[in-house]
Amino acid sequence: MAGNEWINGYLEAILDSGAAAIDDQSPSPVNLRERGHFNPTKYFVEEVVTGVDETDLHRTWIQVVATRNTQERSSRLENMCWRIWHLARRKKQLEWEDFQRMANRRLEREQGRRDATEDMSEDLSEGEKGDTLGELTLSETPRQKFQRNLSGLEVWSDDNKGKKLYIVLISLHGLVRGENMELGCDSDTGGQVKYVVELSRALAMMPGVYRVDLFTRQVSSPDVDWSYGEPTEMLTSGSYDGDGNDVGESSGAYIIRIPCGPRDKYLHKELLWPYIQEFVDGALAHILNMSRVLGEQIGGGQPVWPYVIHGHYADAGDSAALLSGALNVPMVLTGHSLGRNKLEQLLKQGRQSKEDINTTYKIMRRIEAEELSLDAAELVITSTKQEIDEQWGLYDGFDVKLEKVLRARARRGVNCHGRYMPRMVVIPPGMDFSSVVIQEDTVEAEGELATLVGTDGSSPRAVPPIWSEVMRFLTNPHKPMILALSRPDPKKNITTLLKAFGECRPLRELANLVLIMGNRDDIEEMSAGNANVLTTVLKMIDKYDLYGQVAYPKHHKQSDVPDIYRLAAKMKGVFINPALVEPFGLTLIEAAAHGLPMVATKNGGPVDIHRALNNGLLVDPHDYKAIADALLNLVAEKNLWLDCRKNGWRNIHLFSWPEHCRTYLTRVAACRMRHPQWQTDTPLEDMAAEESLGDSLKDVQDTSLRLSVDGEKCSLNGSLEKNPTELQKVAAGKDDPELQDQVNWILNKIKKPVVDVQEADPTKKQLENAVNTSSKYPMLRRRRRLFVIAVDCYNNDGYPDRKILQVIQETFKAVRSDSQISRFSGFALSTAMPVSEVLEFLKSGKIQPADFDALICSSGSEVYYPGSYQCMDDGGKLCPDPDYTSHIDYRWGCDGLKRTIEKLMSSQDAKGSGLIQEDVKSSNAHCVSYMVKASTKAKRVDDLRQKLRMRGLRCHLMYCRNSSRMQIIPLLASRSQALRYLFVRWGLNVANMFVILGETGDTDYEELISGSHKTVIMKGAVEKGSEELLRTAGSYQKDDIVPGESPLRAYASKPTAAEISNALKAVFRSHSGMR
């Protein structure tokens, strides 16, 4: 009955604290952002629910009922016991639901693997079957493991000095700066911040690396230091190399802060999701500008594109995926901590439902960002092999077995049918050893220790302030020090460590315990989870009477951390990390570098660290007796302590930053290198000639020159809106010699031969006339603004509604009503329709294709320039931009996708009649289009995307045209990414684009709202879209993609020129107020 006595004690404590916090249905979720008083009731309830068996609870309830009396306290105790028992039963129900969900997921994964194997019809070779050679074996030494991991790869060396690479890192959340990092000030500013800053510095020092940019969010809030609002911060200057040679003014490592979201607010990472696309657009603008600058310095006038874009954590991974797609450069991902793993751990605790977890942590949006990152990543860097097997293995986009098969096939040159899995590699984080001072075990060192605390009769010598701060807690500071350094997070398991120390009398007599638990001013102002831990720590210190034996200072600076390690090493202490699960354990490496043996959790990264360093003991973090025994062994056994200390020093170089960066660059160099390459080059001299041509034509227009052609009066304007044949007639005339000279000069600038346009089809003739008489290159490169019409208005059969024509015409009127705006503005049409249908539809509304600078067709799989004769074949037909076509071809597996989609959709239809039918007319080389026969039975986008990922297929899938079509396009293609391509290709900043939408649209509608462009939403223009087919229940929500309110968004009450003009003015004013 001891267990029941324990329960009874907790119940009495709950009763004393007030039982109002107990909920009849489910425990209240702990909000890490919650500010306020510590709630002991919630703490005790969670302890009872998670720490005892249901039968014990029931036995306690029976006992209370049997012994109750008329007193109110007994009745309340009975009622409370029943309610907590109900919570425990609810916990078991959640665990059962979680078990069923995981079982279904395993079945789906196995089915996906079987389908992929069937499609790849060739039998597995012996090489594929035995591809497990890449797995690490426990018998290898750390050096052997490193050498074999890089076998077959050219290890990065000083021979690469001449490369001059530009590397982009992204770490979006938290407070990031180079000096005096405020680590631990909140849950977003922790080890990741330190890691990315040190990685940036270390990479910038590597041979062949010219510049490293670390992107983060700019925070100009009065709640944080002013330094986080600075646009740029230099981490290292690379102006001179080790030999003193000047290497360039822009070299080195820099923090680049990009504004996104509210300018005056610091946002926690859970609230940043709607602003990801705005961050991407700002980062893209910086990269393009920096590429040009570096091109002038080291690229011989050609842009120097990023060598790699590396995202850290889910939000930065999402950003890196979009940037990588826009620039067509390789992407690398480091997860740091993973959403699916966190979700599984929280569900196993049974304290919160999946809905509560999603509300608190935005966990489903985070998981989708990680899946998107896997879609785009060439390489995923992990700290441990356990992270690959047990954490990334939970994701749809990664299957360990399928990845090995695909890698083996790719190595042999065998077709993978469009399937792809990113490569996972283990590269332990590096460490800066510059502050480490190796301390020898000498008599002098013992004497120094005596004078350190002033016990030898002399005055205490000057010591680091943090030493004094720690030692003021301790009655006998001479004793060995057990050091724990972490946030007061429940996952860090500090309370179990304190219990181990308090329960083991020999350990208490032999050593002191020092707990460095972040920084705090007032426990009541801390987040609920951290406050719970700290309050429990204080109570346990009192319970075990550990005063004078435990130190727990309130404050320390990041610069104090090396001094803390040094103090523990001088005291012949031990470092402990008792976390329930530790993804890596950077503090273990730091401690080893300072000569401290370790005791660490056996769950996660410490296993790999211990294997490499062999400098301590691993323990079960739930077993407080095992923790106490391990600490006592290391502290009491001097020979064991010395052996562990020396072992740590012997192999610590494997975790240095130079070693990390060498392995990192070696791995990145093995990726498929990509960067923007234009088949249709744009020579600078041609651009200059066209500028002069435009100026000349403008002069002609200003003098009101009128040409009479076939009895019609037509103007000759800046876009050269006449056929060269007609201009030649004018040049051959003799009425005006000055005019003839001007026209002859214009004709000499046009290099395209005159095309015979005598065709039967008048639409084709008009199109060819407009194209052949326009400039060689698209007018986009000379536009200052672009108005993109993307209104998805279709009837029930998916045919375009004439409202679109009205929106186009009224938008033209609204923009052209202001001569100053219209002079530098262009138009684009963005639609799910194929180009043939677009041209036919525009013809029905008597709208010329040449009125648009760009046509983005087939949901973003093709881009056309009606105003440029470069995008027209010899037969007079519009051709898609070949550069965009090659740009989006990455990881496009058309045939494999077709087979899989048809199989998935037919398996859903029990009658076998088929829910979809291929729409050949709407398909093209990079767009597979299907007619949807019954949209009510169609699978949701996220459901289909999950199944495709499990089969190794990467693409962009959407429903469009009022749910009548389903279209699959390449991963790098979309209507929103096409706008970024126009920025990269023609220099028209996305921030100068205006996107005109309806209130709903295709399933890619949300992507078009977010970003740094301005958005005008036309009310009443679109009655029904396809968004209902986007997500399944339990997925992330629209609010996780689109900001609730934004100064970049305005509304037009109806599709008229006046309303559109007012909306444009409103968004102009709001945007100006942001600056």
Side-chain angles (χ1 to χ4, degrees):
M1 293 293 291
N4 286 92
E5 291 175 4
W6 181 82
I7 296 171
N8 295 342
Y10 264 124
L11 293 178
E12 291 289 346
I14 294 169
L15 201 60
D16 290 337
S17 62
I22 306 175
D23 190 279
D24 286 352
Q25 299 300 322
S26 61
S28 302
V30 178
N31 188 345
L32 294 182
R33 307 297 173 211
E34 180 183 20
R35 299 283 181 179
H37 296 285
F38 167 64
N39 189 334
T41 301
K42 183 184 297 183
Y43 170 77
F44 286 125
V45 169
E46 290 184 352
E47 284 294 305
V48 173
V49 170
T50 59
V52 303
D53 187 79
E54 180 189 345
T55 55
D56 289 334
L57 274 171
H58 188 243
R59 190 182 301 115
T60 295
W61 175 72
I62 292 175
Q63 182 181 2
V64 170
V65 172
T67 59
R68 71 179 178 182
N69 53 39
T70 57
Q71 295 180 359
E72 179 187 359
R73 186 177 182 87
S74 295
S75 298
R76 290 174 62 197
L77 192 62
E78 174 191 349
N79 179 264
M80 180 175 57
C81 185
W82 172 263
R83 292 159 69 189
I84 295 178
W85 180 34
H86 182 77
L87 290 181
R89 293 176 64 85
R90 172 62 176 161
K91 177 176 181 287
K92 282 197 171 183
Q93 180 184 352
L94 290 173
E95 290 174 348
W96 171 247
E97 292 173 355
D98 178 52
F99 173 78
Q100 289 183 313
R101 182 176 56 83
M102 291 300 295
N104 291 335
R105 183 177 178 81
R106 281 193 296 271
L107 289 173
E108 180 63 41
R109 182 179 287 279
E110 287 296 329
Q111 182 62 47
R113 195 180 296 142
R114 283 196 298 269
D115 289 349
T117 305
E118 288 175 7
D119 285 347
M120 297 185 296
S121 55
E122 296 88 355
D123 293 331
L124 297 184
S125 68
E126 290 303 315
E128 287 171 316
K129 292 176 181 177
D131 197 42
T132 55
L133 291 176
E135 298 181 10
L136 304 181
T137 57
L138 300 182
S139 60
E140 290 177 313
T141 66
R143 172 58 62 183
Q144 288 172 333
K145 178 174 73 174
F146 172 77
Q147 290 173 341
R148 186 187 41 71
N149 276 345
L150 298 182
S151 62
L153 300 179
E154 183 180 351
V155 177
W156 198 267
S157 66
D158 289 344
D159 296 339
N160 294 289
K161 271 187 177 180
K163 286 186 179 283
K164 298 188 181 298
L165 305 179
Y166 174 33
I167 294 175
V168 171
L169 309 180
I170 307 174
S171 184
L172 188 54
H173 63 262
L175 297 171
V176 182
R177 66 183 180 190
E179 303 297 334
N180 298 319
M181 289 177 272
E182 299 182 83
L183 304 183
C185 67
D186 70 348
S187 59
D188 290 353
T189 309
Q192 179 182 326
V193 171
K194 183 172 184 287
Y195 172 85
V196 294
V197 169
E198 291 188 355
L199 174 61
S200 301
R201 287 193 174 112
L203 281 173
M205 301 300 292
M206 292 298 291
V209 177
Y210 185 79
R211 180 182 173 101
V212 178
D213 280 341
L214 170 58
F215 287 92
T216 190
R217 179 174 179 254
Q218 185 182 41
V219 184
S220 302
S221 169
D223 298 330
V224 301
D225 191 76
W226 62 270
S227 59
Y228 301 113
E230 290 295 295
T232 304
E233 177 184 346
M234 179 185 289
L235 294 175
T236 61
S237 172
S239 298
Y240 298 92
D241 60 18
D243 299 327
N245 301 316
D246 186 2
V247 295
E249 57 182 317
S250 297
S251 59
Y254 299 82
I255 296 175
I256 307 297
R257 299 186 177 92
I258 305 295
C260 67
R263 301 298 189 261
D264 59 344
K265 291 182 181 178
Y266 171 63
L267 299 178
H268 292 288
K269 59 179 178 290
E270 291 84 2
L271 303 178
L272 284 175
W273 294 112
Y275 308 107
I276 292 291
Q277 297 215 43
E278 185 182 351
F279 177 87
V280 168
D281 291 337
L284 183 60
H286 173 86
I287 290 173
L288 292 177
N289 181 61
M290 184 52 59
S291 294
R292 285 191 292 269
V293 170
L294 296 180
E296 294 172 1
Q297 294 179 7
I298 59 175
Q302 295 299 317
V304 175
W305 301 107
Y307 187 63
V308 68
I309 298 177
H310 187 167
H312 294 266
Y313 194 78
D315 47 14
D318 197 343
S319 305
L322 292 172
L323 279 171
S324 168
L327 291 164
N328 199 24
V329 299
M331 175 197 162
V332 173
L333 173 67
T334 299
H336 290 276
S337 68
L338 301 182
R340 282 202 188 276
N341 185 61
K342 181 169 185 173
L343 177 62
E344 298 303 323
Q345 294 295 329
L346 291 172
L347 288 173
K348 285 178 181 177
Q349 291 177 7
R351 302 179 187 180
Q352 296 174 265
S353 66
K354 186 177 179 181
E355 291 73 21
D356 291 335
I357 294 170
N358 194 32
T359 300
T360 304
Y361 300 105
K362 302 294 182 184
I363 202 77
M364 300 312 296
R365 178 65 181 91
R366 174 178 170 183
I367 289 171
E368 178 58 23
E370 288 161 341
E371 293 282 9
L372 289 169
S373 302
L374 287 175
D375 288 342
E378 292 272 1
L379 191 68
V380 178
I381 294 175
T382 70
S383 301
T384 65
K385 191 172 184 301
Q386 179 264 353
E387 184 181 344
I388 299 175
D389 297 334
E390 299 180 20
Q391 297 185 45
W392 282 117
L394 296 172
Y395 284 78
D396 303 328
F398 183 74
D399 183 298
V400 176
K401 296 180 181 178
L402 188 54
E403 189 270 338
K404 290 175 181 176
V405 171
L406 293 173
R407 180 155 36 103
R409 294 172 70 94
R411 191 165 54 238
R412 292 165 44 238
V414 179
N415 186 4
C416 294
H417 302 280
R419 287 173 168 78
Y420 177 83
M421 289 282 169
R423 182 71 188 273
M424 300 259 173
V425 296
V426 177
I427 308 179
M431 180 187 165
D432 179 10
F433 296 121
S434 59
S435 62
V436 177
V437 178
I438 300 297
Q439 303 170 68
E440 299 297 335
D441 303 304
T442 61
V443 176
E444 289 76 9
E446 298 289 342
E448 181 186 16
L449 186 59
T451 58
L452 179 69
V453 293
T455 57
D456 61 348
S458 62
S459 300
R461 67 173 58 181
V463 298
I466 191 63
W467 289 11
S468 302
E469 180 65 20
V470 168
M471 288 188 290
R472 72 182 178 88
F473 286 87
L474 305 175
T475 303
N476 182 359
H478 283 285
K479 295 197 295 185
M481 179 186 294
I482 298 169
L483 173 64
L485 194 155
S486 71
R487 300 191 312 272
D489 190 299
K491 295 178 296 185
K492 299 301 181 181
N493 204 29
I494 297 173
T495 53
T496 302
L497 168 62
L498 202 55
K499 184 178 182 180
F501 186 73
E503 293 280 352
C504 184
R505 182 174 179 179
L507 186 61
R508 294 200 312 270
E509 293 175 347
L510 191 59
N512 292 319
L513 178 62
V514 176
L515 304 175
I516 308 296
M517 300 178 289
N519 292 281
R520 63 187 183 277
D521 291 317
D522 189 339
I523 293 179
E524 291 188 350
E525 295 178 356
M526 300 179 69
S527 63
N530 292 355
N532 286 356
V533 172
L534 274 168
T535 304
T536 305
V537 165
L538 297 177
K539 288 182 177 180
M540 294 181 75
I541 290 173
D542 187 73
K543 174 183 176 181
Y544 293 110
D545 194 16
L546 300 177
Y547 298 104
Q549 296 174 286
V550 179
Y552 42 96
K554 295 181 68 170
H555 298 283
H556 73 280
K557 295 181 292 186
Q558 179 61 26
S559 57
D560 292 333
V561 173
D563 290 329
I564 295 172
Y565 287 127
R566 285 173 49 221
L567 176 62
K570 280 182 178 292
M571 302 295 185
K572 300 192 181 302
V574 175
F575 182 81
I576 180 167
N577 181 338
L580 299 176
V581 177
E582 180 58 63
F584 179 67
L586 190 59
T587 53
L588 296 173
I589 305 223
E590 293 174 341
H594 286 85
L596 278 171
M598 73 171 189
V599 172
T601 175
K602 67 177 184 179
N603 299 328
V607 175
D608 289 342
I609 294 174
H610 179 262
R611 186 181 302 149
L613 299 181
N614 191 26
N615 70 325
L617 303 171
L618 299 179
V619 294
D620 180 354
H622 299 282
D623 188 345
Y624 74 91
K625 291 183 178 179
I627 294 174
D629 289 343
L631 290 171
L632 188 60
N633 284 343
L634 276 173
V635 172
E637 296 290 336
K638 289 295 181 69
N639 290 335
L640 176 61
W641 187 91
L642 285 171
D643 288 343
C644 289
R645 175 185 177 97
K646 292 175 181 177
N647 288 343
W649 278 338
R650 184 179 300 115
N651 294 315
I652 195 66
H653 66 91
L654 292 173
F655 298 96
S656 68
W657 276 120
E659 193 83 3
H660 175 93
C661 292
R662 188 177 300 109
T663 310
Y664 174 91
L665 291 171
T666 300
R667 287 294 187 183
V668 171
C671 294
R672 175 184 169 188
M673 288 294 109
R674 300 175 283 128
H675 60 82
Q677 292 181 339
W678 315 130
Q679 299 176 32
T680 53
D681 198 11
T682 311
L684 294 178
E685 57 271 18
D686 283 4
M687 293 178 67
E690 283 198 46
E691 295 290 346
S692 301
L693 171 62
D695 293 340
S696 175
L697 295 175
K698 207 176 300 174
D699 294 338
V700 174
Q701 186 178 21
D702 291 341
T703 58
S704 302
L705 176 64
R706 294 292 183 267
L707 300 179
S708 177
V709 179
D710 295 334
E712 296 181 4
K713 295 288 183 181
C714 300
S715 65
L716 182 65
N717 59 27
S719 62
L720 198 57
E721 294 175 350
K722 286 310 301 174
N723 192 296
T725 305
E726 307 301 339
L727 294 179
Q728 287 177 342
K729 294 179 181 178
V730 176
K734 298 181 180 180
D735 296 334
D736 189 340
E738 183 179 354
L739 175 61
Q740 293 165 15
D741 290 341
Q742 289 187 12
V743 172
N744 281 322
W745 184 86
I746 292 170
L747 289 172
N748 288 334
K749 295 296 180 183
I750 302 176
K751 297 184 170 72
K752 179 75 176 179
V754 177
V755 178
D756 184 7
V757 295
Q758 302 303 318
E759 301 285 348
D761 185 353
T763 303
K764 191 171 184 179
K765 178 179 178 179
Q766 291 172 2
L767 178 62
E768 291 176 351
N769 280 340
V771 172
N772 288 329
T773 58
S774 61
S775 61
K776 180 178 181 180
Y777 299 105
M779 294 293 291
L780 286 167
R781 62 191 177 79
R782 284 195 266 152
R783 300 299 191 192
R784 296 185 186 175
R785 302 180 188 88
L786 184 67
F787 294 85
V788 183
I789 301 170
V791 179
D792 302 323
C793 184
Y794 303 93
N795 62 22
N796 291 334
D797 296 323
Y799 294 107
D801 194 291
R802 295 194 68 82
K803 283 184 183 179
I804 300 179
L805 296 174
Q806 181 187 357
V807 170
I808 292 173
Q809 291 163 345
E810 294 300 316
T811 302
F812 285 172
K813 289 180 184 177
V815 174
R816 290 169 178 167
S817 63
D818 188 327
S819 59
Q820 290 299 317
I821 294 178
S822 63
R823 182 176 179 181
F824 303 107
S825 299
F827 299 92
L829 182 63
S830 181
T831 176
M833 294 185 288
V835 68
S836 58
E837 199 168 344
V838 170
L839 295 177
E840 184 178 345
F841 183 61
L842 292 177
K843 174 188 172 185
S844 70
K846 298 181 180 178
I847 298 174
Q848 297 298 324
D851 288 336
F852 295 97
D853 290 330
L855 299 175
I856 300 170
C857 301
S858 300
S859 298
S861 64
E862 291 184 330
V863 174
Y864 296 85
Y865 308 116
S868 169
Y869 62 71
Q870 264 202 342
C871 286
M872 188 172 184
D873 64 16
D874 293 336
K877 182 181 178 182
L878 266 183
C879 297
D881 180 354
D883 293 324
Y884 184 71
T885 300
S886 62
H887 184 89
I888 64 174
D889 195 55
Y890 179 64
R891 291 187 185 167
W892 176 238
C894 183
D895 294 337
L897 276 167
K898 276 186 179 181
R899 288 195 297 270
T900 304
I901 286 289
E902 290 166 3
K903 183 184 296 184
L904 290 174
M905 297 300 281
S906 62
S907 65
Q908 186 182 2
D909 185 18
K911 297 180 180 180
S913 57
L915 294 176
I916 59 172
Q917 178 182 340
E918 187 172 358
D919 183 5
V920 179
K921 181 181 177 183
S922 299
S923 299
N924 60 57
H926 290 88
C927 176
V928 182
S929 182
Y930 293 95
M931 293 182 183
V932 180
K933 296 180 180 180
S935 60
T936 55
K937 298 180 180 179
K939 291 180 183 288
R940 298 296 188 266
V941 168
D942 58 358
D943 186 24
L944 283 171
R945 192 161 48 197
Q946 178 193 49
K947 290 175 169 55
L948 291 172
R949 282 170 175 157
M950 285 182 172
R951 290 155 176 80
L953 294 165
R954 318 287 172 165
C955 62
H956 201 152
L957 183 145
M958 67 202 70
Y959 288 97
C960 56
R961 303 176 70 169
N962 199 357
S963 304
S964 67
R965 304 289 194 282
M966 180 177 68
Q967 297 193 158
I968 303 101
I969 61 177
L971 178 68
L972 301 191
S974 72
R975 291 195 287 173
S976 60
Q977 284 290 77
L979 300 182
R980 295 190 178 101
Y981 169 81
L982 297 180
F983 183 12
V984 175
R985 181 68 178 94
W986 303 111
L988 179 58
N989 198 320
V990 175
N992 295 329
M993 296 182 186
F994 297 76
V995 179
I996 299 169
L997 302 167
E999 292 178 279
T1000 184
D1002 301 342
T1003 54
D1004 63 349
Y1005 170 82
E1006 294 172 1
E1007 302 171 22
L1008 288 167
I1009 299 179
S1010 303
S1012 65
H1013 61 259
K1014 291 81 174 173
T1015 304
V1016 173
I1017 296 180
M1018 312 277 286
K1019 294 185 176 180
V1022 181
E1023 296 180 2
K1024 187 173 182 296
S1026 308
E1027 289 186 288
E1028 62 185 14
L1029 294 176
L1030 180 56
R1031 284 183 282 266
T1032 54
S1035 183
Y1036 63 91
Q1037 300 302 311
K1038 184 176 180 178
D1039 291 343
D1040 300 329
I1041 300 290
V1042 180
E1045 295 181 1
S1046 172
L1048 300 175
R1049 189 162 67 240
Y1051 294 84
S1053 59
K1054 51 187 176 181
T1056 64
E1059 287 293 328
I1060 295 172
S1061 180
N1062 291 336
L1064 291 174
K1065 291 176 182 176
V1067 80
F1068 262 126
R1069 287 193 298 270
S1070 298
H1071 179 63
S1072 299
M1074 292 172 60
R1075 296 179 176 179

